[in-house]
Amino acid sequence: TWTGTVLAALALAEFEKADSQAAAKRNVRDAIEAVAARLGNTPTICRKCYVHPQVIDAYLANELKLELQGSIDDNLNSADLHPEEKQVMRFLKRRLKA
């Protein structure tokens, strides 16, 4: 599920801001389809089982902010994570605190 969550967050972060809720939902659909193809699963199962719902909710609320080009926070406990994984982990921690 971690890989699905990271891939979905990265795919959604690449979209420009949607001008309507319908456009945002299409972007979510497209991102989930791309992640599902990469994972070798169906979009329905991918969204339901492999992508953390906070990533989708944040995107739809225009709150998915990943600082992929910024500095990487070294305060995370898991040094085994790639920089993009650390960004998604930080994002999820912020969302859960809110």
Side-chain angles (χ1 to χ4, degrees):
T1 59
W2 180 241
T3 300
T5 296
V6 170
L7 291 173
L10 294 173
L12 289 168
E14 289 182 12
F15 287 109
E16 293 186 24
K17 182 179 176 185
D19 57 358
S20 69
Q21 196 67 10
K25 288 180 180 181
R26 280 192 301 274
N27 290 346
V28 168
R29 183 197 64 219
D30 293 347
I32 294 297
E33 286 176 355
V35 172
R38 176 110 184 250
L39 296 178
N41 217 316
T42 66
T44 300
I45 294 298
C46 181
R47 181 175 179 154
K48 186 174 183 179
C49 301
Y50 295 105
V51 176
H52 196 290
Q54 283 291 322
V55 170
I56 295 170
D57 292 346
Y59 177 78
L60 292 174
N62 196 32
E63 297 173 353
L64 181 62
K65 308 285 189 258
L66 299 180
E67 299 169 9
L68 298 175
Q69 302 303 318
S71 63
I72 302 302
D73 184 347
D74 294 326
N75 294 329
L76 292 173
N77 293 332
S78 181
D80 295 352
L81 296 178
H82 294 283
E84 60 273 14
E85 293 175 312
K86 288 180 182 182
Q87 288 289 324
V88 174
M89 178 70 77
R90 217 180 354 247
F91 162 77
L92 288 172
K93 285 181 178 183
R94 283 192 311 264
R95 291 288 291 193
L96 291 173
K97 286 181 185 178

